[in-house]
Structures are given as C-alpha cells and as structure tokens.
Amino acid sequence: MSPASHRILGMPTKPVRVASVNVNGIRAAFRRGMGDWLAERDVDILALQEVRASTDDLTGLLGDEWDVLHDPASAKGRAGVALASRRPARIHRVALGPDEFDSAGRWLEADYDFDGSSITVVSTYVHSGEADTPKQVEKFRFLDAMEERLPRLTAHAEHAVVVGDLNVGHRTLDIRNWKGNRKKAGFLPEERAYFDRFVGSEEDDDYNAGAGLGWVDVGRRHHGEVEGPYTWWSWRGKAFDNDSGWRIDYHLATGPLAASVVDYSVDRAAAYDERWSDHAPVVVDYAI
C-alpha cells in the first residue's frame, strides 16, 4: 500500500513498525552487531527480552533518541524485558498475576499514541521450563496469569499486541524436529493447549481468525500453512545452517490490529557468524 493510499484511507502515512527480539543479553548482542541492525531497521517500538543488564546499560547502548521502559528480573543477570520507542509511552504497567507471583523481568506493557490512534504493546518472556520439574510448574503459572490477563487487554485496547519469546511451539509447523520434542518443554501438549485457547485450535473452523480468546498469531496468518519461518536456533552444531529451528517468538494481536498488518518479516542472519543472538528479530508493520 502506497503512502498516498494511507492518506486516502485516513491512516498515518507510515505504519507503526514493532520489532521484537530476545537479545540473549543486550551487551553481548551489541558487541556482535545489533546496533548496526537497529540503525538500518527504522523501528518505532522495540520490544526486548532477556535484557540481562541494568537500565543504565540499556539506555547507554540504545542512545538518547529512545524512550526506554525496563523491567529487570528479581535475580540479577537473568531475564529482563524492555520496551524502547521513538516517543514516550502514555502509560505503562508491569504487574501480572497474583501479588505473590514473581513476574518481574517477564511482562511489560505500555500504551503509545500515533497520529490520533493508540496501540498497546506487551513485551514478554515466558519461562523456558523443564518437563516434570518445578521450572515447568512456574511456566504453567505464568501461562495461567497470561491467559487471565489477555481478555483484560482486549477490553482495554482495540489495538493491542503481545510480542516476545513465548517459549512454546504451537503446532508441528513451528518446530523442525517436532517428533523428537513431544515430551520436552516448549512442545508439551499442555503448553500447546494454552495457544489453542489464545488463537484457537486446528479443529476450530475459525482457527487464527478470532477463535479462542480472540487473538491472532500474526506470523502464522501471514505465512500460511508452511514450516516456520523459525525464529530460534541453537548455537550448537549445524542447527542454524540446516534451519533446524523453532518458531517461539510471536506477535499475538487483537483482531482489529491483525487486520492492519501490511508487512511481517523474520530478520534471519545471512550466516552463522553474522548472528548477534540465538533468536532472530520479528518485525511487523501495523497501519493503524
């Protein structure tokens, strides 16, 4: 759609570009070249996961042109989520779940205004988990809290999107070696059932079109019934070279916001030695 078309339809001349990436440590990512990627990508709102740094580190790396919100983890050097934007957020929130539940460094939401329209963006980092251990219990608790929060988000904002490393491959299309991971965290039936409730299951006639809690998996809608495109590859072996990856980084959008998508891309590095994280950024343009 051309800029002229946007003006005719009463939309902003430039869509709002939202990028999300698990940086696997912001300082290491910048040492490996993240700054070059960011300088070229013209991002309006940048959602980060696994920041694993102080707020001073984060703002120092990003620079003065960014307004930065950061929710560090309770344990120093772990997790941490952030939202950086070209304009200040109108309001932001960090609490998720019951008071006794520690969601620090894993859920950060903010409202932004763009040319008379608003968008709510959530940067989230779901636990990786480990089957049959307390780590998996914590992951389920977080997914429970997320499931409770999603309807409140849709009531709060017509245009809302939950982005980040959700650490679950919803369908067999989302993991190259899905048969070998059926009993492992990230592809457990109980985990995938949460996504059935978020966006609908394959048995729903309106899967990913407003089923479940009404959220839309933007990546799956954009690419259709194909393998991937994957967003995470192990550093080990030939996983990246062989594209043996997982699609675990998402944009889950409300129906009206999903309908405004004009572009979606996974910024996969051209070569193994050009990677600056084990995840690739997911970049989406929303013409709100």
Side-chain angles (χ1 to χ4, degrees):
M1 187 177 290
S2 68
S5 299
H6 285 286
R7 287 194 292 271
I8 291 171
L9 294 174
M11 290 187 269
T13 57
K14 176 183 178 297
V16 177
R17 178 165 292 174
V18 180
S20 175
V21 61
N22 179 323
V23 293
N24 198 14
I26 188 75
R27 290 167 295 186
F30 264 78
R31 286 196 301 269
R32 294 178 177 129
M34 178 182 172
D36 294 336
W37 168 83
L38 189 58
E40 297 175 355
R41 225 32 188 103
D42 195 23
V43 173
D44 295 299
I45 301 173
L46 175 66
L48 304 173
Q49 302 88 45
E50 275 203 277
V51 173
R52 300 207 311 247
S54 70
T55 301
D56 287 343
D57 288 333
L58 181 58
T59 55
L61 290 168
L62 291 177
D64 295 338
E65 66 270 28
W66 292 93
D67 183 78
V68 177
L69 303 173
H70 179 216
D71 184 37
S74 300
K76 187 176 180 180
R78 297 182 59 192
V81 289
L83 287 165
S85 58
R86 300 295 187 178
R87 62 186 71 189
R90 175 162 39 87
I91 190 171
H92 75 279
R93 300 162 295 275
V94 298
L96 179 71
D99 292 341
E100 71 275 11
F101 179 55
D102 182 10
S103 63
R106 294 188 180 274
W107 185 272
L108 174 63
E109 55 186 77
D111 298 342
Y112 299 93
D113 294 324
F114 286 89
D115 300 328
S117 297
S118 64
I119 181 172
T120 297
V121 181
V122 179
S123 178
T124 188
Y125 174 48
V126 176
H127 303 65
S128 56
E130 184 178 344
D132 302 321
T133 73
K135 292 181 179 180
Q136 193 65 31
V137 174
E138 282 299 293
K139 184 174 187 176
F140 287 138
R141 289 189 70 195
F142 188 91
L143 289 169
D144 285 337
M146 182 175 169
E147 184 174 357
E148 183 176 345
R149 179 63 184 159
L150 289 179
R152 297 177 184 177
L153 277 175
T154 55
H156 168 75
E158 178 182 34
H159 294 142
V161 62
V162 176
V163 305
D165 177 3
L166 302 189
N167 262 317
V168 177
H170 182 199
R171 301 169 62 201
T172 57
L173 293 174
D174 297 320
I175 302 178
R176 171 59 61 84
N177 181 26
W178 64 267
K179 290 182 180 179
N181 286 283
R182 286 175 291 186
K183 297 182 179 181
K184 295 181 181 179
F187 200 61
L188 297 173
E190 299 92 335
E191 296 173 326
R192 297 164 62 198
Y194 282 94
F195 283 71
D196 288 345
R197 295 191 287 274
F198 298 163
V199 305
S201 69
E202 293 178 89
E203 287 71 34
D204 294 319
D205 291 337
D206 55 351
Y207 161 69
N208 209 29
L213 294 177
W215 294 78
V216 174
D217 177 353
V218 174
R220 181 54 60 212
R221 175 177 285 188
H222 184 84
H223 283 279
E225 298 295 291
V226 300
E227 292 185 355
Y230 307 122
T231 62
W232 175 85
W233 304 262
S234 171
W235 287 113
R236 300 189 297 272
K238 295 289 185 178
F240 183 80
D241 294 336
N242 297 332
D243 200 25
S244 295
W246 295 50
R247 191 177 75 94
I248 53 176
D249 301 87
Y250 293 81
H251 281 227
L252 298 183
T254 56
L257 184 60
S260 77
V261 173
V262 292
D263 191 50
Y264 172 99
S265 63
V266 174
D267 286 5
R268 187 181 191 273
Y272 178 92
D273 59 2
E274 295 180 28
R275 304 171 73 191
W276 42 265
S277 173
D278 50 354
H279 294 253
V282 180
V283 185
V284 182
D285 288 350
Y286 298 96
I288 58 173

